[in-house]
mmCIF file of all heavy atoms in Angstrom:
data_model
loop_
_atom_site.group_PDB
_atom_site.id
_atom_site.type_symbol
_atom_site.label_atom_id
_atom_site.label_comp_id
_atom_site.label_asym_id
_atom_site.label_seq_id
_atom_site.Cartn_x
_atom_site.Cartn_y
_atom_site.Cartn_z
ATOM 1 N N GLU A 196 2.918 -235.254 88.290
ATOM 2 C CA GLU A 196 3.186 -234.018 89.116
ATOM 3 C C GLU A 196 4.696 -233.746 89.144
ATOM 4 O O GLU A 196 5.102 -232.577 89.088
ATOM 5 C CB GLU A 196 2.648 -234.279 90.558
ATOM 6 C CG GLU A 196 2.959 -233.118 91.542
ATOM 7 C CD GLU A 196 2.294 -231.793 91.119
ATOM 8 O OE1 GLU A 196 1.291 -231.888 90.398
ATOM 9 O OE2 GLU A 196 2.744 -230.792 91.563
ATOM 10 N N LEU A 197 5.474 -234.796 89.137
ATOM 11 C CA LEU A 197 6.930 -234.599 89.173
ATOM 12 C C LEU A 197 7.392 -233.968 87.846
ATOM 13 O O LEU A 197 8.228 -233.095 87.842
ATOM 14 C CB LEU A 197 7.619 -236.013 89.310
ATOM 15 C CG LEU A 197 9.143 -236.023 89.243
ATOM 16 C CD1 LEU A 197 9.781 -235.142 90.353
ATOM 17 C CD2 LEU A 197 9.620 -237.447 89.359
ATOM 18 N N ARG A 199 5.636 -231.987 85.938
ATOM 19 C CA ARG A 199 5.226 -230.567 85.915
ATOM 20 C C ARG A 199 6.182 -229.730 86.841
ATOM 21 O O ARG A 199 6.562 -228.595 86.492
ATOM 22 C CB ARG A 199 3.792 -230.434 86.403
ATOM 23 C CG ARG A 199 2.746 -230.940 85.404
ATOM 24 C CD ARG A 199 1.357 -230.527 85.810
ATOM 25 N NE ARG A 199 0.933 -231.210 87.019
ATOM 26 C CZ ARG A 199 0.291 -232.376 87.025
ATOM 27 N NH1 ARG A 199 0.023 -232.987 85.908
ATOM 28 N NH2 ARG A 199 -0.065 -232.933 88.194
ATOM 29 N N THR A 200 6.527 -230.347 87.950
ATOM 30 C CA THR A 200 7.422 -229.621 88.871
ATOM 31 C C THR A 200 8.841 -229.458 88.283
ATOM 32 O O THR A 200 9.442 -228.379 88.454
ATOM 33 C CB THR A 200 7.553 -230.438 90.173
ATOM 34 O OG1 THR A 200 6.220 -230.650 90.760
ATOM 35 C CG2 THR A 200 8.378 -229.762 91.202
ATOM 36 N N ARG A 201 9.302 -230.475 87.527
ATOM 37 C CA ARG A 201 10.624 -230.327 86.896
ATOM 38 C C ARG A 201 10.583 -229.217 85.885
ATOM 39 O O ARG A 201 11.602 -228.465 85.766
ATOM 40 C CB ARG A 201 11.019 -231.673 86.269
ATOM 41 C CG ARG A 201 11.335 -232.724 87.286
ATOM 42 C CD ARG A 201 11.746 -234.007 86.623
ATOM 43 N NE ARG A 201 13.025 -233.870 85.877
ATOM 44 C CZ ARG A 201 13.637 -234.796 85.241
ATOM 45 N NH1 ARG A 201 13.061 -235.972 85.149
ATOM 46 N NH2 ARG A 201 14.772 -234.573 84.611
ATOM 47 N N GLU A 202 9.518 -229.153 85.102
ATOM 48 C CA GLU A 202 9.424 -228.089 84.060
ATOM 49 C C GLU A 202 9.419 -226.710 84.746
ATOM 50 O O GLU A 202 10.088 -225.780 84.287
ATOM 51 C CB GLU A 202 8.234 -228.314 83.252
ATOM 52 C CG GLU A 202 8.190 -229.525 82.319
ATOM 53 C CD GLU A 202 6.879 -229.767 81.641
ATOM 54 O OE1 GLU A 202 5.924 -228.981 81.909
ATOM 55 O OE2 GLU A 202 6.778 -230.764 80.890
ATOM 56 N N LEU A 203 8.669 -226.620 85.821
ATOM 57 C CA LEU A 203 8.623 -225.325 86.534
ATOM 58 C C LEU A 203 9.943 -224.985 87.194
ATOM 59 O O LEU A 203 10.433 -223.854 87.096
ATOM 60 C CB LEU A 203 7.505 -225.410 87.641
ATOM 61 C CG LEU A 203 7.172 -224.128 88.423
ATOM 62 C CD1 LEU A 203 6.654 -223.086 87.474
ATOM 63 C CD2 LEU A 203 6.180 -224.445 89.476
ATOM 64 N N ALA A 204 10.608 -226.061 87.718
ATOM 65 C CA ALA A 204 11.895 -225.798 88.338
ATOM 66 C C ALA A 204 12.921 -225.340 87.287
ATOM 67 O O ALA A 204 13.747 -224.430 87.574
ATOM 68 C CB ALA A 204 12.391 -227.108 89.002
ATOM 69 N N HIS A 205 12.863 -225.934 86.104
ATOM 70 C CA HIS A 205 13.798 -225.533 85.043
ATOM 71 C C HIS A 205 13.569 -224.080 84.647
ATOM 72 O O HIS A 205 14.531 -223.361 84.343
ATOM 73 C CB HIS A 205 13.634 -226.458 83.841
ATOM 74 C CG HIS A 205 14.716 -226.318 82.802
ATOM 75 N ND1 HIS A 205 14.690 -225.419 81.812
ATOM 76 C CD2 HIS A 205 15.953 -226.967 82.680
ATOM 77 C CE1 HIS A 205 15.731 -225.471 81.082
ATOM 78 N NE2 HIS A 205 16.540 -226.401 81.538
ATOM 79 N N SER A 206 12.347 -223.672 84.651
ATOM 80 C CA SER A 206 11.978 -222.299 84.213
ATOM 81 C C SER A 206 12.535 -221.295 85.212
ATOM 82 O O SER A 206 12.733 -220.097 84.791
ATOM 83 C CB SER A 206 10.464 -222.179 84.051
ATOM 84 O OG SER A 206 9.832 -222.183 85.339
ATOM 85 N N VAL A 207 12.755 -221.630 86.492
ATOM 86 C CA VAL A 207 13.261 -220.661 87.435
ATOM 87 C C VAL A 207 14.721 -220.954 87.801
ATOM 88 O O VAL A 207 15.201 -220.440 88.799
ATOM 89 C CB VAL A 207 12.375 -220.701 88.709
ATOM 90 C CG1 VAL A 207 10.943 -220.227 88.366
ATOM 91 C CG2 VAL A 207 12.364 -222.086 89.361
ATOM 92 N N GLY A 208 15.355 -221.841 86.978
ATOM 93 C CA GLY A 208 16.763 -222.019 87.158
ATOM 94 C C GLY A 208 17.166 -223.046 88.189
ATOM 95 O O GLY A 208 18.343 -223.134 88.580
ATOM 96 N N VAL A 209 16.182 -223.819 88.664
ATOM 97 C CA VAL A 209 16.494 -224.866 89.621
ATOM 98 C C VAL A 209 16.846 -226.171 88.821
ATOM 99 O O VAL A 209 15.953 -226.860 88.324
ATOM 100 C CB VAL A 209 15.294 -225.178 90.523
ATOM 101 C CG1 VAL A 209 15.579 -226.346 91.448
ATOM 102 C CG2 VAL A 209 14.920 -223.975 91.331
ATOM 103 N N ARG A 210 18.118 -226.431 88.712
ATOM 104 C CA ARG A 210 18.630 -227.550 87.871
ATOM 105 C C ARG A 210 19.584 -228.425 88.669
ATOM 106 O O ARG A 210 20.220 -227.943 89.618
ATOM 107 C CB ARG A 210 19.367 -226.981 86.632
ATOM 108 C CG ARG A 210 18.432 -226.092 85.742
ATOM 109 C CD ARG A 210 19.241 -225.589 84.530
ATOM 110 N NE ARG A 210 18.410 -224.807 83.661
ATOM 111 C CZ ARG A 210 18.219 -223.483 83.776
ATOM 112 N NH1 ARG A 210 18.773 -222.823 84.743
ATOM 113 N NH2 ARG A 210 17.455 -222.847 82.897
ATOM 114 N N HIS A 214 21.390 -226.558 92.081
ATOM 115 C CA HIS A 214 20.511 -226.265 93.217
ATOM 116 C C HIS A 214 20.161 -227.592 93.879
ATOM 117 O O HIS A 214 19.860 -228.573 93.211
ATOM 118 C CB HIS A 214 19.243 -225.561 92.790
ATOM 119 C CG HIS A 214 18.475 -224.910 93.894
ATOM 120 N ND1 HIS A 214 17.629 -225.685 94.738
ATOM 121 C CD2 HIS A 214 18.362 -223.645 94.379
ATOM 122 C CE1 HIS A 214 17.061 -224.926 95.589
ATOM 123 N NE2 HIS A 214 17.498 -223.698 95.434
ATOM 124 N N PRO A 215 20.168 -227.637 95.237
ATOM 125 C CA PRO A 215 19.817 -228.925 95.878
ATOM 126 C C PRO A 215 18.435 -229.439 95.528
ATOM 127 O O PRO A 215 18.241 -230.642 95.413
ATOM 128 C CB PRO A 215 19.819 -228.569 97.385
ATOM 129 C CG PRO A 215 20.753 -227.362 97.473
ATOM 130 C CD PRO A 215 20.554 -226.626 96.230
ATOM 131 N N ALA A 216 17.453 -228.529 95.272
ATOM 132 C CA ALA A 216 16.139 -229.030 94.900
ATOM 133 C C ALA A 216 16.160 -229.700 93.529
ATOM 134 O O ALA A 216 15.412 -230.657 93.244
ATOM 135 C CB ALA A 216 15.183 -227.881 94.891
ATOM 136 N N GLY A 217 17.070 -229.229 92.619
ATOM 137 C CA GLY A 217 17.184 -229.899 91.349
ATOM 138 C C GLY A 217 17.768 -231.297 91.485
ATOM 139 O O GLY A 217 17.319 -232.242 90.780
ATOM 140 N N ASP A 219 17.349 -233.128 94.149
ATOM 141 C CA ASP A 219 16.269 -233.949 94.744
ATOM 142 C C ASP A 219 15.252 -234.436 93.679
ATOM 143 O O ASP A 219 14.768 -235.540 93.742
ATOM 144 C CB ASP A 219 15.528 -233.077 95.823
ATOM 145 C CG ASP A 219 16.406 -232.843 97.047
ATOM 146 O OD1 ASP A 219 17.349 -233.626 97.304
ATOM 147 O OD2 ASP A 219 16.053 -231.907 97.825
ATOM 148 N N LEU A 220 14.961 -233.544 92.742
ATOM 149 C CA LEU A 220 14.063 -233.945 91.702
ATOM 150 C C LEU A 220 14.583 -235.083 90.844
ATOM 151 O O LEU A 220 13.895 -236.028 90.436
ATOM 152 C CB LEU A 220 13.707 -232.718 90.764
ATOM 153 C CG LEU A 220 12.840 -231.677 91.373
ATOM 154 C CD1 LEU A 220 12.748 -230.461 90.426
ATOM 155 C CD2 LEU A 220 11.435 -232.235 91.647
ATOM 156 N N ALA A 267 8.868 -235.827 99.811
ATOM 157 C CA ALA A 267 10.060 -235.186 99.296
ATOM 158 C C ALA A 267 9.716 -234.226 98.141
ATOM 159 O O ALA A 267 10.208 -233.137 98.031
ATOM 160 C CB ALA A 267 11.092 -236.244 98.804
ATOM 161 N N LEU A 268 8.796 -234.695 97.260
ATOM 162 C CA LEU A 268 8.341 -233.835 96.139
ATOM 163 C C LEU A 268 7.615 -232.622 96.666
ATOM 164 O O LEU A 268 7.794 -231.519 96.161
ATOM 165 C CB LEU A 268 7.446 -234.687 95.187
ATOM 166 C CG LEU A 268 6.950 -233.852 93.990
ATOM 167 C CD1 LEU A 268 8.149 -233.341 93.127
ATOM 168 C CD2 LEU A 268 6.031 -234.776 93.124
ATOM 169 N N GLU A 269 6.814 -232.794 97.666
ATOM 170 C CA GLU A 269 6.113 -231.681 98.234
ATOM 171 C C GLU A 269 7.069 -230.645 98.830
ATOM 172 O O GLU A 269 6.870 -229.434 98.705
ATOM 173 C CB GLU A 269 5.134 -232.151 99.362
ATOM 174 C CG GLU A 269 4.325 -231.010 99.952
ATOM 175 C CD GLU A 269 3.465 -230.266 99.061
ATOM 176 O OE1 GLU A 269 3.031 -230.848 98.008
ATOM 177 O OE2 GLU A 269 3.159 -229.104 99.326
ATOM 178 N N GLU A 270 8.100 -231.070 99.481
ATOM 179 C CA GLU A 270 9.127 -230.135 99.998
ATOM 180 C C GLU A 270 9.848 -229.445 98.882
ATOM 181 O O GLU A 270 10.066 -228.205 99.003
ATOM 182 C CB GLU A 270 10.119 -230.940 100.833
ATOM 183 C CG GLU A 270 9.601 -231.513 102.106
ATOM 184 C CD GLU A 270 10.557 -232.341 102.836
ATOM 185 O OE1 GLU A 270 11.738 -232.452 102.373
ATOM 186 O OE2 GLU A 270 10.263 -232.944 103.940
ATOM 187 N N VAL A 271 10.135 -230.106 97.822
ATOM 188 C CA VAL A 271 10.796 -229.449 96.644
ATOM 189 C C VAL A 271 9.818 -228.457 96.030
ATOM 190 O O VAL A 271 10.214 -227.311 95.681
ATOM 191 C CB VAL A 271 11.188 -230.507 95.594
ATOM 192 C CG1 VAL A 271 11.658 -229.769 94.320
ATOM 193 C CG2 VAL A 271 12.304 -231.384 96.128
ATOM 194 N N ARG A 272 8.541 -228.821 95.936
ATOM 195 C CA ARG A 272 7.561 -227.883 95.365
ATOM 196 C C ARG A 272 7.486 -226.606 96.223
ATOM 197 O O ARG A 272 7.341 -225.478 95.687
ATOM 198 C CB ARG A 272 6.197 -228.562 95.313
ATOM 199 C CG ARG A 272 5.104 -227.653 94.666
ATOM 200 C CD ARG A 272 5.543 -227.204 93.325
ATOM 201 N NE ARG A 272 4.694 -226.138 92.792
ATOM 202 C CZ ARG A 272 3.785 -226.268 91.869
ATOM 203 N NH1 ARG A 272 3.679 -227.478 91.273
ATOM 204 N NH2 ARG A 272 3.126 -225.277 91.442
ATOM 205 N N ARG A 273 7.531 -226.737 97.567
ATOM 206 C CA ARG A 273 7.524 -225.551 98.424
ATOM 207 C C ARG A 273 8.760 -224.661 98.196
ATOM 208 O O ARG A 273 8.685 -223.461 98.122
ATOM 209 C CB ARG A 273 7.481 -225.973 99.863
ATOM 210 C CG ARG A 273 6.076 -226.402 100.341
ATOM 211 C CD ARG A 273 5.945 -226.404 101.822
ATOM 212 N NE ARG A 273 6.820 -227.396 102.427
ATOM 213 C CZ ARG A 273 6.371 -228.643 102.733
ATOM 214 N NH1 ARG A 273 5.122 -229.005 102.474
ATOM 215 N NH2 ARG A 273 7.204 -229.498 103.295
ATOM 216 N N GLU A 274 9.882 -225.306 97.958
ATOM 217 C CA GLU A 274 11.098 -224.528 97.645
ATOM 218 C C GLU A 274 10.945 -223.792 96.367
ATOM 219 O O GLU A 274 11.307 -222.609 96.243
ATOM 220 C CB GLU A 274 12.320 -225.440 97.627
ATOM 221 C CG GLU A 274 12.765 -225.995 98.957
ATOM 222 C CD GLU A 274 14.096 -226.705 98.861
ATOM 223 O OE1 GLU A 274 14.970 -226.298 98.081
ATOM 224 O OE2 GLU A 274 14.234 -227.702 99.552
ATOM 225 N N ILE A 275 10.357 -224.433 95.371
ATOM 226 C CA ILE A 275 10.200 -223.785 94.039
ATOM 227 C C ILE A 275 9.148 -222.679 94.134
ATOM 228 O O ILE A 275 9.314 -221.673 93.520
ATOM 229 C CB ILE A 275 9.829 -224.836 92.994
ATOM 230 C CG1 ILE A 275 10.955 -225.834 92.784
ATOM 231 C CG2 ILE A 275 9.438 -224.204 91.690
ATOM 232 C CD1 ILE A 275 10.632 -227.017 91.882
ATOM 233 N N ASP A 276 8.111 -222.900 94.928
ATOM 234 C CA ASP A 276 7.107 -221.843 95.153
ATOM 235 C C ASP A 276 7.812 -220.596 95.772
ATOM 236 O O ASP A 276 7.468 -219.462 95.436
ATOM 237 C CB ASP A 276 5.987 -222.359 96.055
ATOM 238 C CG ASP A 276 5.060 -223.298 95.329
ATOM 239 O OD1 ASP A 276 5.076 -223.340 94.076
ATOM 240 O OD2 ASP A 276 4.332 -224.058 96.013
ATOM 241 N N ALA A 277 8.691 -220.862 96.707
ATOM 242 C CA ALA A 277 9.446 -219.772 97.291
ATOM 243 C C ALA A 277 10.286 -219.014 96.271
ATOM 244 O O ALA A 277 10.318 -217.755 96.281
ATOM 245 C CB ALA A 277 10.308 -220.246 98.409
ATOM 246 N N VAL A 278 10.913 -219.796 95.356
ATOM 247 C CA VAL A 278 11.675 -219.194 94.262
ATOM 248 C C VAL A 278 10.767 -218.365 93.373
ATOM 249 O O VAL A 278 11.091 -217.237 92.905
ATOM 250 C CB VAL A 278 12.448 -220.217 93.513
ATOM 251 C CG1 VAL A 278 13.113 -219.607 92.246
ATOM 252 C CG2 VAL A 278 13.478 -220.874 94.389
ATOM 253 N N LEU A 279 9.582 -218.912 93.081
ATOM 254 C CA LEU A 279 8.611 -218.237 92.243
ATOM 255 C C LEU A 279 8.159 -216.873 92.835
ATOM 256 O O LEU A 279 8.013 -215.881 92.183
ATOM 257 C CB LEU A 279 7.398 -219.115 91.945
ATOM 258 C CG LEU A 279 7.525 -220.186 90.924
ATOM 259 C CD1 LEU A 279 6.324 -221.142 90.950
ATOM 260 C CD2 LEU A 279 7.721 -219.596 89.503
ATOM 261 N N ALA A 280 7.990 -216.971 94.206
ATOM 262 C CA ALA A 280 7.583 -215.776 94.900
ATOM 263 C C ALA A 280 8.663 -214.674 94.780
ATOM 264 O O ALA A 280 8.398 -213.498 94.638
ATOM 265 C CB ALA A 280 7.298 -216.045 96.373
ATOM 266 N N VAL A 281 9.921 -215.158 94.816
ATOM 267 C CA VAL A 281 11.044 -214.276 94.649
ATOM 268 C C VAL A 281 10.991 -213.596 93.285
ATOM 269 O O VAL A 281 11.182 -212.378 93.098
ATOM 270 C CB VAL A 281 12.394 -214.951 94.911
ATOM 271 C CG1 VAL A 281 13.551 -214.079 94.449
ATOM 272 C CG2 VAL A 281 12.513 -215.434 96.268
ATOM 273 N N ARG A 282 10.690 -214.446 92.272
ATOM 274 C CA ARG A 282 10.646 -213.894 90.900
ATOM 275 C C ARG A 282 9.576 -212.813 90.790
ATOM 276 O O ARG A 282 9.746 -211.808 90.083
ATOM 277 C CB ARG A 282 10.397 -215.028 89.895
ATOM 278 C CG ARG A 282 10.363 -214.553 88.463
ATOM 279 C CD ARG A 282 10.285 -215.703 87.479
ATOM 280 N NE ARG A 282 8.987 -216.381 87.507
ATOM 281 C CZ ARG A 282 8.626 -217.400 86.681
ATOM 282 N NH1 ARG A 282 9.506 -217.771 85.794
ATOM 283 N NH2 ARG A 282 7.453 -217.942 86.818
ATOM 284 N N GLN A 283 8.419 -212.999 91.467
ATOM 285 C CA GLN A 283 7.304 -212.090 91.285
ATOM 286 C C GLN A 283 7.583 -210.753 91.986
ATOM 287 O O GLN A 283 7.199 -209.728 91.458
ATOM 288 C CB GLN A 283 6.053 -212.718 91.923
ATOM 289 C CG GLN A 283 5.557 -213.916 91.100
ATOM 290 C CD GLN A 283 4.433 -214.703 91.769
ATOM 291 O OE1 GLN A 283 4.068 -214.339 92.922
ATOM 292 N NE2 GLN A 283 3.894 -215.688 91.141
ATOM 293 N N TRP A 348 16.851 -217.143 89.819
ATOM 294 C CA TRP A 348 15.981 -216.956 90.979
ATOM 295 C C TRP A 348 16.426 -217.804 92.126
ATOM 296 O O TRP A 348 16.304 -217.422 93.278
ATOM 297 C CB TRP A 348 14.540 -217.241 90.584
ATOM 298 C CG TRP A 348 14.127 -216.589 89.304
ATOM 299 C CD1 TRP A 348 13.835 -217.170 88.137
ATOM 300 C CD2 TRP A 348 13.964 -215.196 89.116
ATOM 301 N NE1 TRP A 348 13.544 -216.220 87.195
ATOM 302 C CE2 TRP A 348 13.578 -214.994 87.744
ATOM 303 C CE3 TRP A 348 14.121 -214.069 89.880
ATOM 304 C CZ2 TRP A 348 13.334 -213.700 87.241
ATOM 305 C CZ3 TRP A 348 13.877 -212.773 89.383
ATOM 306 C CH2 TRP A 348 13.477 -212.650 88.047
ATOM 307 N N HIS A 349 16.933 -219.002 91.833
ATOM 308 C CA HIS A 349 17.364 -219.880 92.938
ATOM 309 C C HIS A 349 18.548 -219.331 93.733
ATOM 310 O O HIS A 349 18.731 -219.642 94.868
ATOM 311 C CB HIS A 349 17.696 -221.288 92.352
ATOM 312 C CG HIS A 349 18.785 -221.299 91.428
ATOM 313 N ND1 HIS A 349 18.749 -220.686 90.154
ATOM 314 C CD2 HIS A 349 20.082 -221.787 91.550
ATOM 315 C CE1 HIS A 349 19.924 -220.878 89.548
ATOM 316 N NE2 HIS A 349 20.742 -221.502 90.351
ATOM 317 N N SER A 352 17.038 -215.878 95.696
ATOM 318 C CA SER A 352 16.170 -216.060 96.876
ATOM 319 C C SER A 352 16.931 -215.993 98.193
ATOM 320 O O SER A 352 16.667 -215.149 99.059
ATOM 321 C CB SER A 352 15.401 -217.368 96.756
ATOM 322 O OG SER A 352 14.596 -217.572 97.880
#
Side-chain angles (χ1 to χ4, degrees):
E196 176 63 22
L197 176 61
R199 290 191 292 270
T200 303
R201 290 182 64 180
E202 292 173 0
L203 187 61
H205 191 272
S206 70
V207 296
V209 176
R210 299 179 178 88
H214 193 282
D219 290 340
L220 287 174
L268 180 59
E269 180 61 27
E270 291 176 3
V271 172
R272 182 55 193 253
R273 282 197 293 267
E274 289 189 36
I275 295 173
D276 287 342
V278 173
L279 282 172
V281 171
R282 183 172 68 176
Q283 292 172 356
W348 311 111
H349 62 291
S352 177

